[in-house]
Amino acid sequence: MQILQILSSPRGAASYSNQLANGLVEKLVAANPGSQVTVRDLTNQPFPHLEEVHLQSFFTPAEGRSPEQQAAVRHSDEAIAELMAADIVVVGAPLYNFGIASTLKAWIDHIARAGITFRYTAAGPEGLVKGKKVYVAMSSGGVYSAGPMAAYDFVVPYLKSVFAFVGMTDVTVVRVEGTSIPELQAAALPKALRPATYPCKKVDQEDAKGIWRA
Ligand SMILES: Cc1cc2nc3c(=O)[nH]c(=O)nc-3n(C[C@H](O)[C@H](O)[C@H](O)COP(=O)(O)O)c2cc1C
């Protein structure tokens, strides 16, 4: 199996989403001996925000691209090649201001390419990144899987929507949540990783009482 691990927390080893993603990858490798893991840490290897030259490069056929456009499209081509080569994709996603980190959004902007990872057909849009299993390793200071803050989680609906749009419809979300809530913090990561809750974490209703505290 080829496993692509995308990390978007800048907090390195202290990050809950990084630790959760690492834990999921360990389990996946144990279950699939001989797997190869490619790690893309978006903090150390950031993708540029889309500028005009990137858009021009996306919409110009390869043979007609200027040297500047050829350089600009390389990030996207590399990211798409890594994605296409993967059987399993594990995405670490901290919740920032109710959404994903901007580094992860930049990666998504580089992998969603018309004619390459999706196309428009007479029947509507068709995703071209097929046959992948995706795990989202999400971390949040508060509790968003249920309860009063659930409507403020734009991470899971967004990631599921955009991944499905490019063809990745098999998405499992595992959450380490309540990392800013003292009474939930210590158990949050072990709970997300415990075998009984992996890969589909069952959410305890009592956890839902927490809200994010800075
Ligand atoms: C810039 C920033 C924005 C955040 N926004 C939210 C938020 O909207 N809701 C929330 O519950 N936690 C929020 N948090 C807390 C993080 O989700 C929490 O600390 C999480 O554990 C971070 O992921 P990491 O441990 O993988 O770095 C925010 C943290 C930062 C640094």
Side-chain angles (χ1 to χ4, degrees), residues 22-180:
N22 289 341
L24 296 185
V25 167
E26 271 175 31
K27 288 169 187 277
L28 291 164
V29 170
N32 301 278
S35 291
Q36 296 196 321
V37 182
T38 301
V39 181
R40 266 274 181 180
D41 184 333
L42 300 176
T43 300
N44 302 327
Q45 303 165 287
F47 284 80
H49 287 178
L50 293 183
E51 295 173 7
E52 189 179 14
V53 68
H54 300 109
L55 302 180
Q56 286 169 344
S57 71
F58 292 173
F59 295 105
T60 304
E63 59 279 9
R65 286 185 190 127
S66 67
E68 194 194 6
Q69 290 168 350
Q70 286 170 24
V73 84
R74 211 169 292 142
H75 308 278
S76 172
D77 285 349
E78 277 176 21
I80 290 172
E82 279 177 358
L83 181 62
M84 292 297 197
D87 304 295
I88 301 171
V89 185
V90 177
V91 180
L95 185 140
Y96 279 178
N97 303 315
F98 309 116
I100 59 172
S102 60
T103 50
L104 181 56
K105 177 62 165 58
W107 177 79
I108 290 169
D109 286 341
H110 284 266
I111 58 114
R113 288 244 319 260
I116 299 180
T117 54
F118 68 92
R119 68 182 169 196
Y120 293 105
T121 72
E126 179 191 5
L128 301 174
V129 188
K130 297 190 174 166
K132 316 290 179 200
K133 171 70 202 171
V134 180
Y135 293 90
V136 172
M138 179 183 168
S139 58
S140 57
V143 172
Y144 292 80
S145 58
M149 297 305 288
Y152 293 84
D153 169 17
F154 296 97
V155 172
V156 172
Y158 171 68
L159 288 180
K160 282 190 166 181
S161 299
V162 74
F163 288 161
F165 184 74
V166 296
M168 299 190 289
T169 51
D170 186 354
V171 179
T172 296
V173 177
V174 186
R175 296 171 185 256
V176 52
E177 53 183 352
T179 65
S180 303

Side-chain angles (χ1 to χ4, degrees), residues 143-146 172-177 187-188 190-208:
V143 172
Y144 292 80
S145 58
T172 296
V173 177
V174 186
R175 296 171 185 256
V176 52
E177 53 183 352
K191 193 173 171 185
L193 280 169
R194 75 183 176 208
T197 56
Y198 176 83
C200 299
K201 183 178 179 296
K202 184 175 172 298
V203 175
D204 298 333
Q205 281 301 314
E206 67 172 324
D207 283 359

